[in-house]
Every structure is written in C-alpha cells, then in structure tokens.
Amino acid sequence: MSEKYNPQAIEKKWQKVWDDEKAFHAENDYTKPKMYNLVEFPYPSGQGLHVGHPRPYTAMDIVSRKRRMQGYNVLFPMGWDAFGLPTENYAIKNHIHPKIVTHNNVRHFKQQLKSIGYSFDWDREINTSDPEYYHWTQWIFLKLFKAGLAYKTEMPINWCTGCKVGLANEEVVGGKCERCGSPVIRKMQSQWMLKITAYADKLIDGLDDVDYIERVKTQQKNWIGRSHGAEVDFQIKDHDERLTVYTTRPDTLFGVTYMVLSPEHPYIEQFKDEIKNYDEIAAYREEAAHKSDFERTELAKEKTGVCIDGLTAIDPVNGAEIPIWVSDYVLMSYGTGAIMAVPAHDERDWEFAKKFGLPIIEVIKGGNVQEAAFTDVATGTLVNSGFLTGKSVEEAKKEIIHYLEEKHLGRPKTNYKLRDWVFSRQRYWGEPIPIVKCPKCGYVPVPEDQLPLELPEVESYMPTDTGESPLAAMTDWVNTTCPCCGGPAKRETDTMPQWAGSSWYYIRYTDPHYDKGIASPEAMKYWLPVDWYNGGMEHTTLHLLYSRFWHRFLYDQGYVPCPEPYQKRTSHGMILGANGEKMSKSRGNVVNPDDIVREYGADTLRTYEMFIGAFDMAAPWKEEGVKGCRRFLDRVWKLQDIVVPGDSYSPALETQIHQTIRKVSNDYENMKYNTAIAALMSLQNEFTKAGKITRADYRVFLILLNPVAPHITEELWSIMNYGGRLYQTTWPEYDEEKTKEKEVEIAVQVNGKVRGKITVPADISKDDAIAAAKEAVSSRLTGTIVKEIYVPGRLVNIVQKNG
RNA sequence: GCAGAUGUGGCGGAAUUGGCAUACGCGCAUGAUUCAGGUUCAUGUCCAUAUUACUUGGGUGCGGGUUCAAGUCCCGCCAUCUGCACCA
C-alpha cells in the first residue's frame, strides 16, 4: 500500500530539483525550433497574488511544458511591472521609499509564483524599475522624440482642489477626490504626448497579419475608430472666418438645422465681443469643466446647451442661416470640436433638437423623423436635398464631397477616435523623462551615453502644490547644463506612465542583460516575434495597442526584425468571487492562492484553475470545486497500488487511450483545458473501475497530466521507476486508426423525435443503417414514409406523414 | 452613452460547429466501511408524469422564423458582465 498523497512535501522537493537542474532554462541555441510564450507580467502590489493570476500563468505553463516535451526550445519568462501609482501612494502614506516597498512586494510575489511550480526561466527575470532596464525605456523615448513622435501640449487633467495634485481617473470618485473628498476640476497642464495617431493606419492594417482572437481585433479596430467622412466649412455670417466641422454623413448636408460647438471651442473666445450672451456661455463652460468626457457623453439622455446669441452660420449648399449652439455632448478631443447637426438622421442631434424645439428636416426617406432619428444608411434615398434628391446615400456622399471640393468648401477626411497618448505623470515612481529644458535651445534630449537618467532620492513623494512632480523640489537634480549650448538649464521633472515599461518588456526577455541596446540583434532575430501572448481583455485597447505602436516604431527605425510583436494573442476570463462579483478587497471576496496551496497543494490549485470553466470566460471561484480536483489527484495517486506489468496499453482501453492522447494534445493547444481534464478524469475512472492499470497505461497517463499537475506526476514517475525525469520525456503520439470505434450507437428518430437506439458497425452502409433503424421502430411506422436521413455515426431520422 | 462579450439542471460547466441536450466535476439522496463524525467506495440524480415496464410530455433568458432536425442559423426584445484613454 502506498503512503498517503502529501503534496506539501512532494511539491517543495520537485521545485528544488527543477531549480537545481535548471530544468526550464531557455537555451541560446539558435539552431533549435523555438517557441516564445508570454504572459502579462504582474504589477507587484502589496496584496500579493490573488487566484486570478494563476489562471493565465497555468494555461501558458501547460503549453510550455508540453512543447518542451515535444522538442521545442521554449522561452517562458517572468518579470515585474514595478512602477506604479499604488506603490507610490503606499510610500507617501507610510514614508517608505517605493524602491523598498517594490523590493518587498517582488520578493513576496516571486515566492508565491515559485510555490505554484511554474516553469519560468528565472534567469531572465526583469524589473521595469531597475535602472538597467529603464535605461532602455528612456532610450526608446529619445528615439521617439528624435523622430518627432513626442511633443508637448496643454491637456486637461483631473485636479483636486483640496490636495492640489493631479489625480488619476481612478482616484476621482463621483467628481470628488478619493482621498480628501474635495471637488475635482479639469485643469490645463503642459504634458508630454506620444503621437500614436500617426500609426493609426499601421496599427489597423497590421492586424491582418497576426493571429489574434477576433474580439481583440474588433475591439482594437473600434478603439482606433477609423472613419471616412468629410470636413465641411460653414461661413460665419458677416465674418471672414469659417467654422469647420467633421462629419461622416456629408450626404445629409441639406438637413442641417443647427451647429454645435464644444464648450472649449476657440471661437467662443475669438468672437467674445460679438456674443451677446457671453456670460451665460462662460458659465456653461465652467460647468462642463467639472465633467469628464465620459460623463458628458453618458448624460446623453439629459442634453444641455446654450444658443449663442450673435453668431450665425451659413449652409454652404443652400445658403440657409443656421443657429450655433454650445453643448457638452460635443467633445473638443474628436474631429474639429464642432459639428453640423442633422436631427432627422442622428440620434443625439434628434434628442437635442426635441429638447430645445429645433426644426427637424427629413433628407433621407424611410422613417418617421418626427418620431425617431432615421439612421439606416443602406436603404435610404435622398429627399429635400436639391441636386442630391433621388440619389442613394452612397452616391450622394460621393457627389457632395466632389461638389464641396470644387467650391473649396470642404474636403474628404479620414478621422480616428484614437487620441494621442498622454505620456506625462506628475509623479515620483516612474522613469524620468530624459529631456532638458534650455531657455535658449528648447527641449533638448539627454545624450544617450548619459542614460540611464536615474531617479534621485527625494524626501517626500508627494507632488508639489503647483502640480509638478516631487522631482521638481530636487533643485540639485533639476538644475543642470544644456547638452546643446552648455548654458544653465532644467531637467524635465515629469515621469513616464506605467505603460512605458510594459510596452517593450517582451524584447528585453530575449536578452535581459545586454548592455549595448534593447537586446542583441541575434537574440531578437531568433526569439521574436512572441509566438503566443495571453493576457486579459482589459488590456486590449491600452497596453496591447501601446506596445504594438512602440514595436512598429522600432521596426520602422530598424531596431527590431519584425513589424508585429505578437504573432498570436489570446485572452482569459476573469476569476470572480464566490458571489459572482469581481474579486476586490472592498468586496471582501478575495481568495489568496497561498491558502489553497497550503491546504490542497499547488497541483490541486492548478487543476482547479484549469477545470473551472471555459478559459476565455469569467468563472466564479468555488471552494467545493477545489475539493473535487483534489479528490481526482488522490485517485491518480492511488492508481499506483493497482499497477500490473505490461509494456502495452490494456486491450479494453486501447481505443480510449489513443482518443485521450489526441484530445488532450489538441485541447492544450486550443486552450480547452477543462475538457482535457474531463477526459483524463474519465480515463482515471476507467482504470479505477477495471481495478488495474498496466505500467504502459500509467506511464502515458502521467505524461498527459504532467503539464497540469507537474509535481504529483513527477513524483509518481520517480516511484514507478520509469527512468530519468518526466519533464525530459517525449510527448506521446497517438495512432489515428486506433482512435476509431468498431461499433457505434446511433439514435433512431421518427419525425425528429428519438424513438430508439441501435448499435451498428462503424462502417455500416446507409441502406443497412436505415433498414436496421426501421426494424427498431417498426411499431411506430404507421404512415407514409416521405424522407429518410442518415448521418453516419450519429442518427437515422425517418420522416412519415400520417393519413 | 459608445465598444466588446455572455445567458444551458440545485451549482461550475460539456455539446466534434445544424444531428441523441446536460459529458466531467460539485452538491444532494440511498447503501457499504466506521463506535461516531470525516474520509473512502458503490448506486442514483434535468423537470413533470406514469410504473414492480424501456410510459408520456416539456425543456438551453423571452417572443417570432427557417429546417426532416436548432443550445447552435435569421429577425425582434430582456438581463448580466467587461473596457472607455492618469489603476494596471
């Protein structure tokens, strides 16, 4: 009789063996077939790992372990996205240097990850807050700057009127500061920006050449939001100036009944003296400044606005005089900050027109525009539209743009919803932006041989009263000389956002200690692109897009060998709390993986995380389910007591074993871990029921289970004396012929309802199958048979008509 | 509001992409083992209905439709979840 399964002892033992043997070291042997598997590196927060982290990590660990056994040189690295706001806030509160906080958190995370037995190559560990790492983050920024893709502009930020600091959106709760409760307003601040919009087309088109799950592609495309439309110029009455708007529907130009300016539109100041109700408009603008873009568009149901008294626009096609309004549903950040409103054919315009009693003119036939906006582009025909009347929407678009171009009243224009990337943070715990501000030379890059520009030690991590970074108080550090003219100058005190370090980390893993560049050309040529990158859906539009942007830029500059960083992208679902809600400290439903490892073992944790449900869907954590997985592993452990000699599979189970090898091999690659485990459970049930298992059966079973539960299988491998290490074994093959059943049970339906079942040879002919089926349900065949359907291996359906 | 997804037993979820709905696991019930509890093992478990039978009917969020056949395809609703650019 075997000893009791004791995961705590077994797991520690094998983790040490793997470490000592450098079992999962990615070799720099560039002649082998490679596979680069990547998971999103964690932000080492003070809370430690929660059970959401192991889901993607275990999934990719399974693929990595399997591929190693199939002969691949696998790179499966791990590191730390270590700069960030919560660490800084913790440091401010507790007066501890963020470096120390980060160090402690990383130590804790690493110990947790090690206890789960991941096959990471720890020799390639990186940390974005390490100067040796951010040296190259800063270097990339300088390249962007020199290419004209980094620039400074005035941007509104969230400003806490109490703390007098800039706040992250997340720190603003209901328009108030999360910490002190004071109102938050939008304040203009000079910010570094990266011109990601210059790469909008490349980022869309690049998606054609990569293997991303469809919803990631769709979401990125929608986020970039490319639309083809036109800019139209409206003359302002009695002035030389024209008001330019962007529209995707120039065909509806005859239906314009008013214009709307964003409250921040420069014309409001420019025409201040002409506007009779300027005070009212200024008050409205003040009010809008308290709302975020999100709130402004969300409050769509209660539209607000003020009509400008004193300015009128002229319709370029029919000369009609059109009133100009100001409303916050128009955003300065999209298009030109002004729109032409066509209430008959746009929902937001329609609601606004209804509320303020503005006219609604139908220009496309098909709906009842007094009841609702008619927005169907496909079927509509133009009416009330002068020379466009009678044309389809498509034709009218072309014609009107042609007309506007000819008269110099407009032009075709492609627009993007994507906005440039705000790259400045007025914070301490981030990469210093390596720029010097010289009164003579302007913004001057720090020479590359002076990188890394290290973060100086400061006394307080609190931003200054003026909203500048804490670095601004470090006069020794701030005051410097201009690298260009040698005169006195000041350093930039803003730091980079956390996204910076994570935008290129996958490059650094290929050669983490290289000191002449981001990584050696040989390492990049061999390892890049990442073959498979798995991460959360929540990173689709920000991190994933930002890193694709940086990579594409580096490619255009000749620094990386391929245009796209990630060949394949998949996404995991969230692990929710037992109550079906997102896990969070405030909801009190967080589960710590340490507790699961301690009570049930890492292999049970891994198995449950994979068995919990479809990998790409959210699933609630249930401790009862964990127990079921532990029971499964207990049964696997006990199989050792019923092993019988035998170099081949049990004849009775041979078909099922070959089927299981096929299913598990395919399911691991297709991220269907739950059904792979279900198939292994079924096989284990068969072994237990049979009361015996041959050495060959057990051997292949252990290999198949190994990627999911590496410790217990390695231990059993050793107990069974199969020789060597399981992790060094070759992945099993299956024989397609041997997966085929000799006999199959098929359903017999009469008029689509199952009325019986028959067992027939798998290769039975259609006629024989139908004949056998008819016999099985003969008592029910009372009418005239009108149709007979045979689906091989599935069913026979006999359709009859009575009477 | 915009964008992306999801909805199947008491619960987590399967279903080869139009072919026997509910695999696998949990829970529960009954029995065995045990002084007992736990563990372990065996059997059963979609709902209703009938039965000393292998009965009959219903059933994949709701309402329609296509088809010999629909969880799967089409049209229209409803509900829930995720993201929205300074959390990462």
Side-chain angles (χ1 to χ4, degrees), chain A residues 34-60:
Chain A
K34 65 101 181 180
M35 186 178 204
Y36 184 176
N37 292 332
L38 185 65
V39 289
E40 288 165 346
F41 61 167
Y43 170 64
S45 71
Q47 283 84 51
L49 231 48
H50 69 79
V51 289
H53 290 99
R55 196 181 199 191
Y57 296 171
T58 307
M60 294 310 286

mmCIF file of all heavy atoms in Angstrom, chain A residues 34-60:
data_model
loop_
_atom_site.group_PDB
_atom_site.id
_atom_site.type_symbol
_atom_site.label_atom_id
_atom_site.label_comp_id
_atom_site.label_asym_id
_atom_site.label_seq_id
_atom_site.Cartn_x
_atom_site.Cartn_y
_atom_site.Cartn_z
ATOM 1 N N LYS A 34 12.061 27.124 -31.930
ATOM 2 C CA LYS A 34 11.772 27.869 -30.704
ATOM 3 C C LYS A 34 10.280 28.102 -30.533
ATOM 4 O O LYS A 34 9.506 28.076 -31.480
ATOM 5 C CB LYS A 34 12.470 29.226 -30.756
ATOM 6 C CG LYS A 34 11.975 30.175 -31.852
ATOM 7 C CD LYS A 34 11.036 31.241 -31.360
ATOM 8 C CE LYS A 34 10.542 32.168 -32.481
ATOM 9 N NZ LYS A 34 9.632 33.213 -32.030
ATOM 10 N N MET A 35 9.899 28.317 -29.295
ATOM 11 C CA MET A 35 8.567 28.820 -29.022
ATOM 12 C C MET A 35 8.665 29.807 -27.876
ATOM 13 O O MET A 35 9.165 29.488 -26.807
ATOM 14 C CB MET A 35 7.607 27.696 -28.643
ATOM 15 C CG MET A 35 6.182 28.231 -28.501
ATOM 16 S SD MET A 35 4.972 26.989 -28.127
ATOM 17 C CE MET A 35 3.474 27.788 -28.764
ATOM 18 N N TYR A 36 8.168 31.023 -28.154
ATOM 19 C CA TYR A 36 8.219 32.082 -27.155
ATOM 20 C C TYR A 36 6.791 32.294 -26.640
ATOM 21 O O TYR A 36 5.940 32.799 -27.358
ATOM 22 C CB TYR A 36 8.781 33.352 -27.808
ATOM 23 C CG TYR A 36 8.989 34.547 -26.897
ATOM 24 C CD1 TYR A 36 9.577 35.716 -27.394
ATOM 25 C CD2 TYR A 36 8.626 34.530 -25.553
ATOM 26 C CE1 TYR A 36 9.778 36.828 -26.584
ATOM 27 C CE2 TYR A 36 8.822 35.628 -24.734
ATOM 28 C CZ TYR A 36 9.386 36.784 -25.259
ATOM 29 O OH TYR A 36 9.569 37.894 -24.445
ATOM 30 N N ASN A 37 6.562 31.869 -25.418
ATOM 31 C CA ASN A 37 5.250 32.017 -24.779
ATOM 32 C C ASN A 37 5.323 33.131 -23.745
ATOM 33 O O ASN A 37 6.231 33.155 -22.918
ATOM 34 C CB ASN A 37 4.845 30.724 -24.070
ATOM 35 C CG ASN A 37 4.581 29.606 -25.055
ATOM 36 O OD1 ASN A 37 4.190 29.857 -26.194
ATOM 37 N ND2 ASN A 37 4.798 28.385 -24.633
ATOM 38 N N LEU A 38 4.336 34.016 -23.802
ATOM 39 C CA LEU A 38 4.384 35.179 -22.916
ATOM 40 C C LEU A 38 3.075 35.332 -22.151
ATOM 41 O O LEU A 38 1.991 35.181 -22.720
ATOM 42 C CB LEU A 38 4.660 36.431 -23.743
ATOM 43 C CG LEU A 38 4.865 37.754 -22.999
ATOM 44 C CD1 LEU A 38 6.123 37.712 -22.144
ATOM 45 C CD2 LEU A 38 4.937 38.919 -23.983
ATOM 46 N N VAL A 39 3.211 35.617 -20.853
ATOM 47 C CA VAL A 39 2.050 36.035 -20.055
ATOM 48 C C VAL A 39 2.336 37.444 -19.550
ATOM 49 O O VAL A 39 3.493 37.842 -19.439
ATOM 50 C CB VAL A 39 1.796 35.102 -18.850
ATOM 51 C CG1 VAL A 39 1.282 33.762 -19.321
ATOM 52 C CG2 VAL A 39 3.044 34.937 -17.989
ATOM 53 N N GLU A 40 1.281 38.175 -19.264
ATOM 54 C CA GLU A 40 1.456 39.548 -18.780
ATOM 55 C C GLU A 40 2.123 39.526 -17.414
ATOM 56 O O GLU A 40 1.636 38.843 -16.502
ATOM 57 C CB GLU A 40 0.101 40.254 -18.719
ATOM 58 C CG GLU A 40 -0.414 40.559 -20.110
ATOM 59 C CD GLU A 40 -1.888 40.931 -20.154
ATOM 60 O OE1 GLU A 40 -2.601 40.718 -19.164
ATOM 61 O OE2 GLU A 40 -2.319 41.436 -21.192
ATOM 62 N N PHE A 41 3.224 40.255 -17.302
ATOM 63 C CA PHE A 41 3.901 40.266 -16.002
ATOM 64 C C PHE A 41 3.090 41.085 -15.003
ATOM 65 O O PHE A 41 2.434 42.045 -15.360
ATOM 66 C CB PHE A 41 5.368 40.700 -16.110
ATOM 67 C CG PHE A 41 5.664 42.086 -16.641
ATOM 68 C CD1 PHE A 41 6.947 42.622 -16.507
ATOM 69 C CD2 PHE A 41 4.721 42.843 -17.293
ATOM 70 C CE1 PHE A 41 7.260 43.886 -16.982
ATOM 71 C CE2 PHE A 41 5.024 44.109 -17.787
ATOM 72 C CZ PHE A 41 6.303 44.625 -17.620
ATOM 73 N N PRO A 42 3.110 40.677 -13.736
ATOM 74 C CA PRO A 42 2.224 41.328 -12.774
ATOM 75 C C PRO A 42 2.786 42.643 -12.265
ATOM 76 O O PRO A 42 3.993 42.884 -12.281
ATOM 77 C CB PRO A 42 2.142 40.315 -11.634
ATOM 78 C CG PRO A 42 3.433 39.587 -11.681
ATOM 79 C CD PRO A 42 3.836 39.537 -13.133
ATOM 80 N N TYR A 43 1.871 43.463 -11.805
ATOM 81 C CA TYR A 43 2.231 44.625 -11.030
ATOM 82 C C TYR A 43 2.333 44.141 -9.587
ATOM 83 O O TYR A 43 1.348 43.635 -9.039
ATOM 84 C CB TYR A 43 1.136 45.687 -11.185
ATOM 85 C CG TYR A 43 1.313 46.823 -10.233
ATOM 86 C CD1 TYR A 43 2.437 47.638 -10.316
ATOM 87 C CD2 TYR A 43 0.391 47.076 -9.231
ATOM 88 C CE1 TYR A 43 2.627 48.670 -9.422
ATOM 89 C CE2 TYR A 43 0.572 48.106 -8.337
ATOM 90 C CZ TYR A 43 1.689 48.898 -8.439
ATOM 91 O OH TYR A 43 1.885 49.912 -7.556
ATOM 92 N N PRO A 44 3.505 44.226 -8.976
ATOM 93 C CA PRO A 44 3.670 43.654 -7.622
ATOM 94 C C PRO A 44 3.029 44.528 -6.552
ATOM 95 O O PRO A 44 3.683 45.325 -5.923
ATOM 96 C CB PRO A 44 5.192 43.571 -7.457
ATOM 97 C CG PRO A 44 5.752 44.586 -8.396
ATOM 98 C CD PRO A 44 4.761 44.780 -9.506
ATOM 99 N N SER A 45 1.744 44.353 -6.367
ATOM 100 C CA SER A 45 1.003 45.158 -5.395
ATOM 101 C C SER A 45 1.228 44.612 -3.992
ATOM 102 O O SER A 45 1.735 43.511 -3.812
ATOM 103 C CB SER A 45 -0.486 45.102 -5.714
ATOM 104 O OG SER A 45 -0.975 43.814 -5.408
ATOM 105 N N GLY A 46 0.820 45.397 -3.012
ATOM 106 C CA GLY A 46 1.005 44.994 -1.620
ATOM 107 C C GLY A 46 0.147 43.809 -1.219
ATOM 108 O O GLY A 46 0.457 43.103 -0.265
ATOM 109 N N GLN A 47 -0.929 43.581 -1.976
ATOM 110 C CA GLN A 47 -1.846 42.493 -1.598
ATOM 111 C C GLN A 47 -1.305 41.116 -1.970
ATOM 112 O O GLN A 47 -1.833 40.113 -1.536
ATOM 113 C CB GLN A 47 -3.204 42.676 -2.280
ATOM 114 C CG GLN A 47 -4.082 43.736 -1.636
ATOM 115 C CD GLN A 47 -3.729 45.117 -2.157
ATOM 116 O OE1 GLN A 47 -3.663 45.342 -3.356
ATOM 117 N NE2 GLN A 47 -3.467 46.042 -1.249
ATOM 118 N N GLY A 48 -0.309 41.074 -2.807
ATOM 119 C CA GLY A 48 0.188 39.771 -3.263
ATOM 120 C C GLY A 48 -0.706 39.215 -4.361
ATOM 121 O O GLY A 48 -1.661 39.846 -4.793
ATOM 122 N N LEU A 49 -0.347 38.009 -4.773
ATOM 123 C CA LEU A 49 -1.090 37.338 -5.828
ATOM 124 C C LEU A 49 -2.518 37.030 -5.365
ATOM 125 O O LEU A 49 -2.732 36.728 -4.200
ATOM 126 C CB LEU A 49 -0.381 36.016 -6.065
ATOM 127 C CG LEU A 49 0.049 35.517 -7.443
ATOM 128 C CD1 LEU A 49 0.781 36.591 -8.203
ATOM 129 C CD2 LEU A 49 0.925 34.288 -7.280
ATOM 130 N N HIS A 50 -3.486 37.111 -6.280
ATOM 131 C CA HIS A 50 -4.774 36.504 -5.933
ATOM 132 C C HIS A 50 -5.062 35.424 -6.970
ATOM 133 O O HIS A 50 -4.301 35.261 -7.921
ATOM 134 C CB HIS A 50 -5.898 37.537 -5.780
ATOM 135 C CG HIS A 50 -6.311 38.204 -7.045
ATOM 136 N ND1 HIS A 50 -7.142 37.591 -7.959
ATOM 137 C CD2 HIS A 50 -6.014 39.417 -7.559
ATOM 138 C CE1 HIS A 50 -7.343 38.415 -8.958
ATOM 139 N NE2 HIS A 50 -6.656 39.518 -8.760
ATOM 140 N N VAL A 51 -6.152 34.683 -6.781
ATOM 141 C CA VAL A 51 -6.330 33.481 -7.593
ATOM 142 C C VAL A 51 -6.611 33.783 -9.067
ATOM 143 O O VAL A 51 -6.680 32.864 -9.869
ATOM 144 C CB VAL A 51 -7.431 32.551 -7.024
ATOM 145 C CG1 VAL A 51 -6.952 31.901 -5.740
ATOM 146 C CG2 VAL A 51 -8.743 33.296 -6.850
ATOM 147 N N GLY A 52 -6.761 35.059 -9.412
ATOM 148 C CA GLY A 52 -6.894 35.410 -10.825
ATOM 149 C C GLY A 52 -5.584 35.234 -11.577
ATOM 150 O O GLY A 52 -5.580 34.808 -12.730
ATOM 151 N N HIS A 53 -4.457 35.557 -10.933
ATOM 152 C CA HIS A 53 -3.160 35.451 -11.611
ATOM 153 C C HIS A 53 -2.856 34.046 -12.122
ATOM 154 O O HIS A 53 -2.391 33.898 -13.253
ATOM 155 C CB HIS A 53 -2.027 35.892 -10.672
ATOM 156 C CG HIS A 53 -2.003 37.362 -10.367
ATOM 157 N ND1 HIS A 53 -2.516 37.877 -9.206
ATOM 158 C CD2 HIS A 53 -1.531 38.420 -11.070
ATOM 159 C CE1 HIS A 53 -2.356 39.201 -9.197
ATOM 160 N NE2 HIS A 53 -1.759 39.557 -10.319
ATOM 161 N N PRO A 54 -3.067 32.990 -11.332
ATOM 162 C CA PRO A 54 -2.638 31.666 -11.793
ATOM 163 C C PRO A 54 -3.403 31.154 -13.011
ATOM 164 O O PRO A 54 -2.952 30.203 -13.653
ATOM 165 C CB PRO A 54 -2.919 30.759 -10.583
ATOM 166 C CG PRO A 54 -2.965 31.662 -9.414
ATOM 167 C CD PRO A 54 -3.514 32.954 -9.932
ATOM 168 N N ARG A 55 -4.520 31.740 -13.342
ATOM 169 C CA ARG A 55 -5.279 31.199 -14.469
ATOM 170 C C ARG A 55 -4.485 31.309 -15.779
ATOM 171 O O ARG A 55 -4.207 30.286 -16.390
ATOM 172 C CB ARG A 55 -6.639 31.894 -14.572
ATOM 173 C CG ARG A 55 -7.602 31.123 -15.448
ATOM 174 C CD ARG A 55 -8.933 31.808 -15.585
ATOM 175 N NE ARG A 55 -9.947 30.849 -16.031
ATOM 176 C CZ ARG A 55 -11.152 31.182 -16.449
ATOM 177 N NH1 ARG A 55 -11.517 32.436 -16.466
ATOM 178 N NH2 ARG A 55 -12.009 30.260 -16.837
ATOM 179 N N PRO A 56 -4.119 32.513 -16.212
ATOM 180 C CA PRO A 56 -3.324 32.578 -17.449
ATOM 181 C C PRO A 56 -1.937 31.960 -17.281
ATOM 182 O O PRO A 56 -1.402 31.381 -18.230
ATOM 183 C CB PRO A 56 -3.221 34.078 -17.733
ATOM 184 C CG PRO A 56 -3.490 34.738 -16.424
ATOM 185 C CD PRO A 56 -4.453 33.845 -15.707
ATOM 186 N N TYR A 57 -1.356 32.101 -16.102
ATOM 187 C CA TYR A 57 0.000 31.576 -15.910
ATOM 188 C C TYR A 57 0.013 30.056 -16.045
ATOM 189 O O TYR A 57 0.910 29.477 -16.656
ATOM 190 C CB TYR A 57 0.558 31.980 -14.537
ATOM 191 C CG TYR A 57 0.734 33.480 -14.337
ATOM 192 C CD1 TYR A 57 1.040 34.012 -13.097
ATOM 193 C CD2 TYR A 57 0.605 34.355 -15.412
ATOM 194 C CE1 TYR A 57 1.205 35.386 -12.914
ATOM 195 C CE2 TYR A 57 0.754 35.726 -15.234
ATOM 196 C CZ TYR A 57 1.049 36.231 -13.991
ATOM 197 O OH TYR A 57 1.206 37.577 -13.804
ATOM 198 N N THR A 58 -0.980 29.405 -15.435
ATOM 199 C CA THR A 58 -1.033 27.951 -15.520
ATOM 200 C C THR A 58 -1.285 27.521 -16.963
ATOM 201 O O THR A 58 -0.674 26.568 -17.455
ATOM 202 C CB THR A 58 -2.140 27.393 -14.595
ATOM 203 O OG1 THR A 58 -1.947 27.907 -13.283
ATOM 204 C CG2 THR A 58 -2.100 25.872 -14.555
ATOM 205 N N ALA A 59 -2.178 28.229 -17.627
ATOM 206 C CA ALA A 59 -2.508 27.883 -19.015
ATOM 207 C C ALA A 59 -1.255 27.880 -19.893
ATOM 208 O O ALA A 59 -0.985 26.925 -20.621
ATOM 209 C CB ALA A 59 -3.536 28.874 -19.565
ATOM 210 N N MET A 60 -0.484 28.957 -19.812
ATOM 211 C CA MET A 60 0.696 29.041 -20.663
ATOM 212 C C MET A 60 1.815 28.132 -20.156
ATOM 213 O O MET A 60 2.668 27.693 -20.931
ATOM 214 C CB MET A 60 1.175 30.494 -20.776
ATOM 215 C CG MET A 60 0.206 31.409 -21.499
ATOM 216 S SD MET A 60 -0.368 30.762 -23.095
ATOM 217 C CE MET A 60 1.078 30.994 -24.092
#
